[in-house]
Amino acid sequence: MTRDAAMAHLDTYLLQVRRHLKGLSQAEIHEVLEELRAHVLDRVEDQLTPKAVEAALEALGSPRDVARVNVTERVAAVMEANRTPLGVLAAVVRLASLSVMGFVVFMVSLAGYGLAAGFLLVAAWKPFDPDHVGLWRVPDPNDPFNFVLGVMLPRPDGVELLGWWIIPLGLALGLALGYLTWRFGVTCVRLMARAGRRRPAADPVRTEPAV
Amino acid sequence: MAAPRPTPEDELARWETQLRKGGLGLAVLATLWPGRLYGLEMLRRLEAEAGLSVPEGTIYPLLSRLKAEGLVDAEWVEAAAGHPRKYYSLTGLGRARVREMAASWTSFARGLDRLLAPFMGDDQ
């Protein structure tokens, strides 16, 4: 009976950890939970009582903190192994639901990559449809700075300002913005992993070694 | 309102924590040098031999990072205890890395010891 109660307590804790393991695959979630289960069972040894399990769970930390440090470390480790723009974007997507910072980083990355792709598309499209690709100043009595950039069908009224220069400018802006967004993603994923390690419960403490 | 200024004791404690964190990766890898261990055995060795009490919830994420870097391997083994245990061991790359890290650490510590000797009483 005591043993069943202890196992039920452990299962409840693992269920709570599982709720916070957002962004991990099913296989990774299974791995994390089984490792925590084995750890607690090792710690209590043959004293499988609710009190012993409670002490072991307290030493592990709150389900939320344990889950968060697992998610950020694993996602950051996968990203370090594949730091292509897609690999970094995948890491950012996986961390998006973990915290407010994760969501903000995801939105900024989405906007950055979207704009970069837009500039590159404009530059690539210009040779195939020169009349409809460009930067126009469109006359508007209410707005003296009314500019339109991109692939426009139909062609807007007004003066096209860049001509063929839109190709090198679009390429340069697209590549620069793509690089900056990639750099931003790498830095933020590393910062989030570091923040998980920096929680007070995650600091190693000095104790006197046994003699 | 400005945040209260940290006391010298707080600053020292923060510096000590950073120092320990810096050495934690090496310490964890070093526990695996003699052979494979599971998580709790590693924690106990760290505490008993290096005086490092590592928060239990953080050892597995650290091991998963070391595994992703190819420094350790892991395998589940059915134990006599009645539940499976995940054992970690050093890979070839891990053994090479731990040697390099140990050499850097020792060289750094020796240099610092020489510098500290005059006011630590070692020169008397």
Side-chain angles (χ1 to χ4, degrees), chain A residues 35-57:
Chain A
E35 198 157 33
L36 291 174
R37 182 189 297 279
H39 177 87
V40 172
L41 293 176
D42 278 330
R43 206 171 185 280
V44 300
E45 294 171 347
D46 47 359
Q47 303 287 311
L48 194 49
T49 64
K51 203 175 166 188
V53 168
E54 179 60 34
L57 297 180

Side-chain angles (χ1 to χ4, degrees), chain A residues 121-190:
Chain A
L121 184 73
V122 164
W125 202 262
K126 178 74 174 175
F128 301 103
D129 197 357
D131 291 340
H132 295 106
V133 178
L135 173 70
W136 287 270
R137 185 171 181 186
V138 181
D140 183 343
N142 301 320
D143 182 4
F145 300 103
N146 187 20
F147 293 96
V148 177
L149 170 75
V151 182
M152 294 294 156
L153 292 171
R155 182 192 162 99
D157 294 330
V159 186
E160 205 282 309
L161 301 172
L162 292 176
W164 291 104
W165 278 103
I166 200 166
I167 295 178
L169 277 173
L171 286 176
L173 281 172
L175 291 174
L177 203 56
Y179 172 77
L180 288 174
T181 307
W182 171 79
R183 201 66 254 179
F184 171 78
V186 170
T187 306
C188 289
V189 171
R190 284 177 182 166

Side-chain angles (χ1 to χ4, degrees), chain B residues 9-60:
Chain B
E9 289 77 18
D10 291 341
E11 297 279 8
L12 182 64
R14 196 178 304 161
W15 176 79
E16 264 195 70
T17 302
Q18 290 305 320
L19 191 64
R20 275 166 220 297
K21 270 188 189 169
L24 189 59
L26 169 59
V28 167
L29 289 173
T31 61
L32 294 172
W33 185 263
R36 70 178 193 179
L37 294 176
Y38 58 90
L40 193 62
E41 282 181 318
M42 264 183 259
L43 289 169
R44 286 178 175 158
R45 273 202 75 187
L46 284 168
E47 192 157 8
E49 292 178 30
L52 270 177
S53 175
V54 180
E56 298 184 13
T58 61
I59 186 83
Y60 299 108

